[in-house]
């Protein structure tokens, strides 16, 4: 019953019984004893063990383990069960450095937006934390803390916390308002005017001003619309529409037919059109675009934006529609299913062109959902399970790149074929075949581990499916998939 004795026993004998199941049993025992030793397993290589250690530390409020749990918020790619608790642990500990860690997490583009939103919510209620733990539902009393701790932590990251989905940007507005950060408008306006900054950052600043309903917005939009950068102009058009969606509902349908607009600008206008309130002109315009899509006359770069705008309007609650959008969209999707019988890529072809390479690069390098660099190198960084991404588009078409993501088993890159070895003792070993000689077979497993198997131990060898996970596309929105394809296609 003494947790220190229990841990010492494990530490002494772990060379003989160091398996995930044994470690999991130890974590559960330490949890029951409310021992801070569970912190030793927060970085366990087995995700189940690490997750149970996080649950023990947080849900049992084991004070000695909370600091190490809180530190995990600095490490990207954590499972949600761990990430939520790491963020919550920082809120519970409540020092200025913990507020800084939450702000840093909220600013990291590679983290899932739903987790960044949680970090911003915890900062918004920093001064007076909720009386109920959002994870366990148990009543808590964290006292009060200076709101200035959270405000000071966020200020260096203002631009980055406004970069992301509408949900993230909306929570950023609520958080900075709650914390009384008054200088956001002038800061964002200055960013828009700063021509030394990347267009992406200036565009996000314009959208932030729209979300804040800041008085600086009209001047910022005017500045951005005069830019030579199409992405900045697109952000300005979207921000202008977002500022007054009701007015935009009458203006956008005719603006969408302006041949002078760039593809990114037109895409931004479809994004805005998807969210306007009840509007007969908007619905009739989208119905016409759906007819053109069915006839194959919509530019390929815009086809996805048309259907996504319609889906958004169909999903909106209590929105009266003034055109048969549902039936027209269903006809297009039926045609895609029919085409898929001869062309499996048909439903995904709208993602071939029209993406944003910068956004795609961010997904490839930073997204915890797909974690591409675990298996692929880019600029010398990453794993060796799959081919390097540098130069991947030199002799590969966009169709090949898209297929490699949505149907990875269709064509496996030469030199990265996978094998499944069945051993004489019944165990199996699978991975990318890296080498084979008269005595051994060497494979690289999905986690990057190199395994050398004596040929005498192999009962059978057969080809295995691609090491590329077949669910990557399911973890991306269709627009994100399009952005990734655009980025990969730029790697000549």
């Amino acid at each position: 019953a003494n947790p220190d004795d229990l841990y010492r026993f494990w530490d002494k004998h772990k060379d003989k019984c160091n398996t995930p199941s044994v470690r999991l049993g130890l974590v559960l025992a330490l949890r029951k004893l409310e021992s801070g030793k569970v912190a030793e397993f927060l970085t366990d290589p087995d995700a189940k063990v690490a997750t149970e250690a996080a649950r023990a530390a947080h849900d049992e409020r084991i004070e000695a383990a909370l600091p190490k749990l809180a530190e995990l918020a600095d490490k990207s790619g954590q499972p949600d069960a761990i990430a939520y608790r790491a963020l919550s642990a920082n809120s519970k500990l409540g020092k200025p450095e913990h507020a800084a860690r939450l702000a840093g997490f909220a600013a990291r583009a590679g983290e899932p937006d739903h987790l960044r939103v949680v970090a911003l919510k915890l900062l918004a209620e920093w001064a007076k934390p909720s009386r109920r733990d959002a994870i366990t539902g148990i009543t808590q009393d964290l006292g009060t803390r200076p709101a200035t701790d959270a405000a000071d932590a966020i200020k260096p990251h203002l631009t980055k916390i406004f970069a992301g989905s509408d949900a993230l940007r909306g929570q950023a507005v609520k958080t900075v308002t709650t914390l009384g950060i008054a200088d956001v408008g002038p800061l964002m306006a200055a960013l828009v005017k700063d021509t030394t900054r990347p267009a992406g950052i200036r565009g996000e600043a314009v959208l932030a001003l729209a979300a804040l309903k800041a008085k600086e917005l009209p001047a910022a939009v005017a500045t951005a619309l005069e830019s030579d950068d199409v992405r900045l102009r697109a952000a300005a058009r979207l921000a202008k529409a977002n500022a007054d969606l009701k007015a935009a509902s009458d203006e956008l349908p005719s603006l969408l037919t302006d041949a002078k607009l760039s593809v990114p600008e037109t895409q931004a206008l479809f994004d805005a059109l998807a969210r306007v309130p009840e509007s007969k002109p908007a619905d009739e315009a989208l119905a016409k675009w759906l007819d053109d899509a069915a006839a194959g006359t919509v530019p390929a770069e815009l086809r996805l934006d048309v259907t996504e705008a319609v889906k958004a309007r169909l999903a909106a609650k209590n929105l009266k529609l003034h055109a048969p959008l549902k039936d027209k969209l269903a006809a297009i999707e039926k045609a895609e299913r029919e085409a898929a019988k001869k062309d499996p890529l048909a439903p995904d072809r709208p993602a071939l062109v029209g993406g944003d390479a910068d956004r795609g690069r961010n997904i490839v390098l930073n997204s915890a959902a797909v974690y591409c660099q675990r298996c692929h190198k880019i600029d010398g960084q990453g794993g060796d399970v799959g081919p390097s991404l540098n130069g991947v588009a030199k002799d590969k078409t966009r169709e090949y790149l898209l297929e490699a993501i949505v149907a990875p088993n269709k064509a496996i890159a030469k030199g990265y074929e996978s094998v499944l070895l069945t051993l004489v003792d019944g165990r199996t070993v699978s991975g990318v075949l890296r080498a084979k000689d008269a005595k051994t077979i060497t494979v690289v497993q999905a986690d990057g581990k190199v395994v050398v198997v004596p040929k005498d131990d192999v009962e059978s060898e057969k080809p295995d499916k691609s090491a590329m996970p077949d669910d990557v596309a399911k973890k991306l929105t269709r627009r994100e998939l399009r952005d990734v394809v655009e980025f990969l296609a730029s790697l000549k």
Side-chain angles (χ1 to χ4, degrees), residues 384-386 415-423 427-437 439-455 458 460-465 467:
D384 292 314
V385 177
Y416 292 89
E417 298 87 354
S418 294
V419 294
L420 176 64
L421 307 177
T422 300
L423 308 187
R427 291 182 296 128
T428 59
V429 176
S430 64
V432 174
L433 179 63
R434 186 49 45 88
K436 183 193 292 189
D437 56 33
K439 294 184 178 181
T440 62
I441 298 175
T442 303
V443 300
V444 181
Q445 297 184 316
D447 60 1
K449 183 179 180 181
V450 178
V451 179
V452 180
V453 182
K455 270 195 172 181
V458 178
S460 66
E461 173 188 347
K462 64 179 181 179
D464 197 12
K465 66 179 184 178

Side-chain angles (χ1 to χ4, degrees), residues 12 49 56 62 126 154 159 192 199-200 218 301 306 345 350 390 400 448 481:
K12 181 179 179 180
V49 176
I62 301 174
W126 185 264
I154 281 183
T159 303
V192 176
E301 297 88 347
V306 174
L345 278 184
N390 290 107
Y400 177 94
L481 176 62

Side-chain angles (χ1 to χ4, degrees), residues 76-77 110 360-390 444-449 467-469 472 484 487-488 491:
S76 296
R361 179 183 179 85
N362 184 56
I363 293 168
V364 168
L365 295 183
N366 300 314
S367 173
V370 291
Y371 198 20
C372 300
Q373 282 190 288
R374 178 177 61 185
C375 297
H376 297 278
K377 271 191 170 68
I378 183 166
D379 298 337
Q381 302 295 317
D384 292 314
V385 177
S388 170
L389 296 182
N390 290 107
V444 181
Q445 297 184 316
D447 60 1
K449 183 179 180 181
M468 173 83 169
V472 170
V484 170
F487 170 59
L488 295 178
L491 300 177

Side-chain angles (χ1 to χ4, degrees), residues 122-141:
L122 292 172
L123 287 166
E125 60 181 35
W126 185 264
K128 295 181 179 179
S130 171
R131 290 277 296 168
R132 188 172 296 280
D133 187 303
I135 295 175
T136 64
I138 296 173
T139 300
Q140 61 181 4
D141 183 5

Side-chain angles (χ1 to χ4, degrees), residues 279-346:
S279 169
K280 186 176 181 181
D283 293 338
E284 290 178 343
L286 283 174
K288 173 64 167 60
W289 280 92
L290 282 177
D291 289 339
D292 292 343
T297 57
V298 168
E301 297 88 347
L302 299 177
R303 184 182 176 93
L304 180 59
D305 302 279
V306 174
T307 56
E308 292 289 290
V310 171
K311 288 177 182 178
R313 291 191 70 71
L314 291 174
K317 293 182 179 179
N318 303 319
L319 178 63
K320 181 180 179 181
L321 299 176
H322 295 270
L325 300 181
K326 184 176 181 179
D327 292 340
K328 290 178 181 291
L329 179 63
I332 289 176
E333 291 177 337
K334 181 180 179 181
E336 287 179 344
R337 290 193 296 271
E338 288 297 316
K341 294 177 181 178
K342 295 183 179 180
D343 174 17
L345 278 184

